[in-house]
Amino acid sequence: MKFEIFGKDYNVSDSLKAITEKKCAKLDKYFHDDADATAKFIVTLEGGTYTTDMTVVYRSQTYRAEASSDSPFDNIDLVIPRLLGQIRKQKDIWGKTKRGSENVYEEEADEE
């Protein structure tokens, strides 16, 4: 999984990058260390409030979560569980089988 961390009006520190990558290790079990998965973090500072936007793109699926607070470190703790919830929900939907029995049609004999 690739990580990209950007800052708008904010210089992202090395400690924030390290903590983000460490906490995103929870996502590896869903993507199986696939090189196609990309996690993109955008940290924005506006008037004393930090907004963290996380987007994960995996094959044709896109997952996105956003959080705002006074600390960018707190935002990571809010964003990752939201994203994990979306991934779990999507995985459950794909894993379910349809209800009911299969439609079995008998062939009709041609009467001549």
Side-chain angles (χ1 to χ4, degrees):
M1 177 177 238
K2 298 175 189 173
F3 294 101
E4 299 175 359
I5 303 173
F6 302 104
K8 284 186 177 179
D9 299 330
Y10 176 72
N11 292 329
V12 180
S13 64
D14 293 333
S15 62
L16 182 62
K17 289 180 183 180
I19 290 172
T20 302
E21 290 181 12
K22 181 180 175 185
K23 292 193 178 193
C24 283
K26 296 176 184 178
L27 298 173
D28 288 339
K29 68 180 179 182
Y30 293 103
F31 301 117
H32 307 292
D33 298 326
D34 196 352
D36 293 340
T38 305
K40 188 181 290 187
F41 286 87
I42 300 174
V43 180
T44 307
L45 175 62
E46 292 180 11
T49 302
Y50 294 94
T51 303
T52 302
D53 179 29
M54 181 179 177
T55 306
V56 175
V57 177
Y58 179 67
R59 295 184 184 161
S60 63
Q61 296 294 319
T62 302
Y63 305 99
R64 184 179 174 280
E66 184 177 335
S68 296
S69 71
D70 295 335
S71 171
F73 297 97
D74 293 339
N75 287 343
I76 295 170
D77 294 333
L78 297 173
V79 168
I80 292 175
R82 290 179 187 172
L83 200 82
L84 286 173
Q86 290 178 18
I87 294 169
R88 265 190 239 112
K89 183 177 179 181
Q90 190 67 34
K91 186 177 178 183
D92 289 344
I93 290 171
W94 286 344
K96 290 184 180 177
T97 58
K98 293 185 178 181
R99 293 185 182 178
S101 61
E102 291 185 23
N103 294 331
V104 179
Y105 300 105
E106 297 177 16
E107 293 184 22
E108 294 181 13
D110 292 332
E111 295 181 22
E112 291 181 22

